[in-house]
């Protein structure tokens, strides 16, 4: 029996651990993977952080310096060192399959036994639930279809006709990655909107935090112009076309014009990985889980951390998750004291 079980030991789970320790609570972290690093273990080769190391730190201990924009490996090493430094009790690989309510506590069922806790922080991220929109004819396409999560790098697409769908950071970075080796068609729902070149991850957290007053990051643009994206854009290699109407056997079609393609890469985002919470029946009629900060309104000792702005401003970023984690840990401490 623990006071708190944290599900997921990626950056969000570790930030929670830092503040739970500070609040003097007894906790354990359960993580489905065999090694530390969360989703950063799975990016493609050229993936770079959109902010320098000194602006990508978790609470308490800064990310070690890196010249330029760090690759995913640097983040993995940092997260591994972080959990070691604080000697967190992380159990791996332990996949949580179901969280239930029993006798005023939570029962956390996993593939490696059952835990019980007074409070739960779910910090399972989004990488594990890739999202592809419903597009007419998608199943008919005879070429290859991948999502961001399946993309390993440009080599296997050399000389191929590749359609990259999506105007966010993943779409722009993967399009830039492929621009010189493949016959690229980049497709975005609306014209690509680059953040001003001088804005990178440093500013994102501040802007997201002030989003109520300013309209936030979304008001400025969707794409951080990291050096690789900026270079491809400035060389005229990133010309976006509007979204196609349907897909045929041979490729996407804009009204009657079909563009033959060998592969379509869907960079169309993610959904929160919350399947383990299904027994609690938290979703309302509109399919969303109502939260107040990180606290689930229908289940006040369950907190959702790191899934996006709806669970805390910029909480799905390295620099942004700390303040939200602190608020969640402090609230849990107050809840358990009141009990
Ligand atoms: P994750 O890293 O996904 O960690 C969740 C952990 O929970 C994983 O280890 C997973 O195995 C585990 N888990 C999942 N389900 C279960 C379960 N049922 N039981 C037990 N364990 C489970 N952010 C930045 O700050 N800077 C950037 O430059 C940046 N670039 C990004 C680029 C891309 C392409 C993407 C997709 C995201 C980027 N982000 C960036 C956003 C963010 O930092 C990452 O998405 C981050 O990995 C989210 O951390 P997390 O801890 O919430 O989730």
């Amino acid at each position: 029996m623990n006071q708190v079980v944290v599900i997921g030991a990626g950056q969000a789970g570790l930030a929670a651990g830092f503040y739970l320790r500070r609040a003097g609570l007894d906790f354990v972290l359960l993580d489905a993977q065999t090694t530390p690093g969360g989703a950063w273990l799975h990016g493609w080769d050229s993936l770079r952080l959109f902010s320098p190391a000194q602006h990508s730190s978790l609470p308490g201990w800064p990310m070690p310096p890196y010249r330029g924009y760090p690759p995913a490996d640097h983040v993995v090493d940092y997260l591994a060192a972080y959990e070691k430094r604080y000697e967190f009790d992380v159990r791996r690989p332990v996949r949580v399959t179901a969280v239930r309510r029993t006798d005023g506590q939570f029962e956390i069922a996993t593939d490696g036994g059952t835990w019980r806790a007074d409070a739960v922080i779910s910090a399972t991220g989004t990488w594990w639930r890739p999202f592809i929109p419903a597009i007419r004819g998608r199943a008919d396409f005879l070429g290859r279809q991948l999502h961001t999560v399946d993309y390993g790098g440009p080599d296997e697409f050399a000389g191929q006709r590749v359609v990259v769908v999506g105007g966010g950071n993943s779409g722009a970075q993967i399009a830039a990655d492929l621009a010189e080796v493949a016959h690229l068609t980049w497709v975005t729902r609306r014209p690509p909107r680059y953040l001003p070149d001088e804005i990178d991850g440093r500013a994102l957290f501040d802007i997201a935090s002030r989003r109520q007053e300013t309209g936030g990051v979304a008001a400025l643009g969707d794409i951080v112009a990291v050096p690789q994206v900026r270079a491809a854009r400035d060389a005229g290699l990133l010309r976006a076309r509007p979204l196609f109407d349907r897909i045929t056997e041979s490729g996407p079609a804009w009204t009657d014009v079909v563009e033959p393609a060998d592969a379509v890469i869907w960079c169309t985002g993610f959904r929160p990985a919350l399947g383990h919470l299904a027994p609690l029946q938290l979703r309302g009629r509109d399919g969303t889980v109502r939260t107040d900060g990180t606290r689930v309104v229908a289940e006040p000792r369950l907190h959702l951390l790191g899934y996006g702005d709806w669970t805390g401003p910029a909480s799905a970023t390295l620099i942004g998750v700390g303040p939200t984690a602190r608020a969640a840990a402090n609230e849990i401490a107050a809840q358990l004291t009141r009990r």
Side-chain angles (χ1 to χ4, degrees):
M1 169 79 193
N2 294 92
Q3 284 180 299
V4 187
V5 164
V6 181
I7 307 172
Q11 63 197 39
L14 298 184
F18 180 87
Y19 285 112
L20 289 170
R21 166 81 47 81
R22 259 204 182 173
L25 294 168
D26 148 66
F27 62 96
V28 63
L29 295 108
L30 309 178
D31 192 275
Q33 301 194 93
T34 48
T35 54
W40 295 108
L41 288 165
H42 301 281
W44 56 94
D45 290 348
S46 68
L47 175 63
R48 291 285 177 280
L49 280 188
F50 50 61
S51 48
Q54 67 270 31
H55 297 286
S56 305
S57 295
L58 294 177
W61 187 52
M63 179 180 280
Y66 187 90
R67 209 185 235 276
Y69 293 81
D73 283 357
H74 192 72
V75 186
V76 170
D77 291 347
Y78 171 54
L79 297 183
Y82 188 94
E83 71 174 55
K84 205 168 162 200
R85 175 185 176 93
Y86 291 108
E87 298 180 336
F88 289 146
D89 182 5
V90 185
R91 310 291 175 91
R92 291 197 174 87
V94 175
R95 176 172 298 281
V96 175
T97 50
V99 177
R100 296 192 179 80
R101 270 314 217 140
T102 48
D103 307 328
Q105 292 170 341
F106 290 103
E107 185 183 88
I108 299 108
T110 80
D111 57 5
T114 301
W115 272 260
R116 295 174 80 83
D118 292 318
V120 167
I121 295 181
S122 183
T124 48
T126 59
W127 183 262
W128 328 95
R129 266 194 75 201
F131 172 75
I132 298 180
I135 297 263
R136 191 153 55 102
R138 195 167 84 74
D140 300 334
F141 179 55
L142 296 176
R144 214 176 139 201
Q145 295 191 54
L146 312 80
H147 186 274
T148 309
V149 298
D150 308 307
Y151 179 72
D155 295 351
E156 58 180 314
F157 299 100
Q160 292 189 13
R161 298 161 300 182
V162 184
V163 179
V164 172
V165 186
N169 284 300
S170 306
Q173 284 194 30
I174 291 177
D177 212 24
L178 290 167
E180 289 196 76
V181 300
H183 302 283
L184 170 72
T185 303
W186 186 30
V187 172
T188 59
R189 197 178 284 279
R190 56 184 183 188
R193 301 183 324 143
Y194 296 94
L195 286 150
D197 284 2
E198 67 279 8
I199 290 190
D200 62 17
R202 275 172 263 216
L204 287 183
F205 172 66
D206 292 340
I207 298 168
S209 305
R210 284 186 273 117
R211 74 188 193 287
Q212 260 92 10
E213 304 108 76
T214 60
V217 180
L220 284 178
D222 303 316
I223 301 166
V224 181
V226 293
Q228 188 199 16
V229 168
R230 199 181 307 173
R233 181 199 63 189
D234 294 349
L237 298 172
L238 289 185
R239 291 209 192 88
R241 296 183 60 174
L243 190 60
F244 39 82
D245 315 310
R246 62 199 164 91
I247 305 194
T248 68
E249 282 186 0
S250 51
W254 288 260
T255 52
D256 291 334
V257 183
V258 175
E259 180 154 318
D262 300 302
V264 175
I265 306 179
W266 299 94
C267 304
T268 41
F270 302 87
R271 295 290 181 263
L274 299 177
H276 52 291
L277 303 179
L280 297 171
Q281 301 187 314
L282 302 172
R283 289 189 188 278
R285 283 223 184 104
D286 60 358
T288 64
V289 179
R290 270 188 64 212
T291 48
D292 182 1
T294 56
R295 176 168 42 81
V296 175
V297 171
E299 199 61 80
R301 276 188 277 128
L302 170 63
H303 291 253
L304 305 184
L305 181 63
Y307 295 100
D309 286 353
W310 65 284
T311 54
S315 64
T317 65
L318 283 154
I319 196 171
V321 72
T324 306
R326 181 175 57 218
N330 289 346
E331 192 168 342
I332 290 172
Q335 286 172 326
L336 298 189
T337 310
R338 275 200 299 274
R339 222 164 68 104

